[in-house]
Amino acid sequence: MTIINLMQAYELDKLSKLDLSDEEILRALRAGDVSAWQEQVPNYEFSETMALYKEGEQQFLDALHGHYRIKYVTLPGIQRLLHLRFQLEEGKDYQLLETGIQHLTCDEETVTKLQQMLSTNWSLTKQSDGAYSVFVK
């Protein structure tokens, strides 16, 4: 499992939505030229993606394919990940509290991926109604 930072998670999510093959992504990273990605996603520099790639190609590919844990994630970071990666929205798919999230409704695959991504200071638990909650340990 690759450990990445929150910005790397955001960038990888954006990159995964560009409909590029692994080889196209690796070719751009090997060349050090991600300008085509920056044109498609103007608010991202992809510098954190480049830094992750420089740590090792296989490690990068593992993270690209969702096999990562985030070093440290805040509640706003979790909200953004829920929206970016899983298209889940506050008020519709979960209830936001000051200290966490409750009544998160999603499929088991999403729960598994979310559990894997969360930094170790967060706890994801199933509630009696079948929904999930995410709170600081």
Side-chain angles (χ1 to χ4, degrees), residues 62-104:
D62 288 346
L64 179 65
H65 294 288
H67 304 291
Y68 63 81
R69 178 177 303 277
I70 299 170
K71 290 177 194 172
Y72 179 81
V73 65
T74 61
L75 184 55
I78 292 171
Q79 268 190 279
R80 189 162 180 201
L81 286 169
L82 288 173
H83 177 72
L84 287 175
R85 184 146 184 219
F86 305 112
Q87 294 73 50
L88 298 173
E89 298 186 24
E90 178 189 355
K92 179 180 155 199
D93 301 300
Y94 63 89
Q95 180 184 2
L96 181 66
L97 303 176
E98 266 187 50
T99 57
I101 290 171
Q102 67 180 8
H103 304 299
L104 174 63

Side-chain angles (χ1 to χ4, degrees), residues 12-121:
L12 288 175
D13 181 74
K14 292 294 185 184
L15 182 57
S16 70
K17 291 182 170 76
L18 293 181
D19 199 30
L20 299 170
S21 70
D22 286 359
E23 192 51 47
E24 290 171 309
I25 291 168
L26 291 174
R27 195 175 311 120
L29 290 168
R30 287 175 188 140
D33 181 11
V34 296
S35 58
W37 305 347
Q38 292 167 334
E39 289 173 17
Q40 291 181 293
V41 188
N43 296 328
Y44 285 80
E45 294 292 318
F46 292 98
S47 58
E48 291 293 329
T49 300
M50 184 61 77
L52 179 61
Y53 170 76
K54 288 179 180 178
E55 291 177 21
E57 200 168 277
Q58 188 57 53
Q59 185 174 326
F60 168 79
L61 286 171
D62 288 346
L64 179 65
H65 294 288
H67 304 291
Y68 63 81
R69 178 177 303 277
I70 299 170
K71 290 177 194 172
Y72 179 81
V73 65
T74 61
L75 184 55
I78 292 171
Q79 268 190 279
R80 189 162 180 201
L81 286 169
L82 288 173
H83 177 72
L84 287 175
R85 184 146 184 219
F86 305 112
Q87 294 73 50
L88 298 173
E89 298 186 24
E90 178 189 355
K92 179 180 155 199
D93 301 300
Y94 63 89
Q95 180 184 2
L96 181 66
L97 303 176
E98 266 187 50
T99 57
I101 290 171
Q102 67 180 8
H103 304 299
L104 174 63
T105 55
C106 56
D107 60 34
E108 289 298 319
E109 181 181 350
T110 300
V111 168
T112 301
K113 288 179 182 178
L114 182 60
Q115 180 68 55
Q116 177 184 313
M117 289 170 37
L118 290 174
S119 53
T120 57
N121 59 317

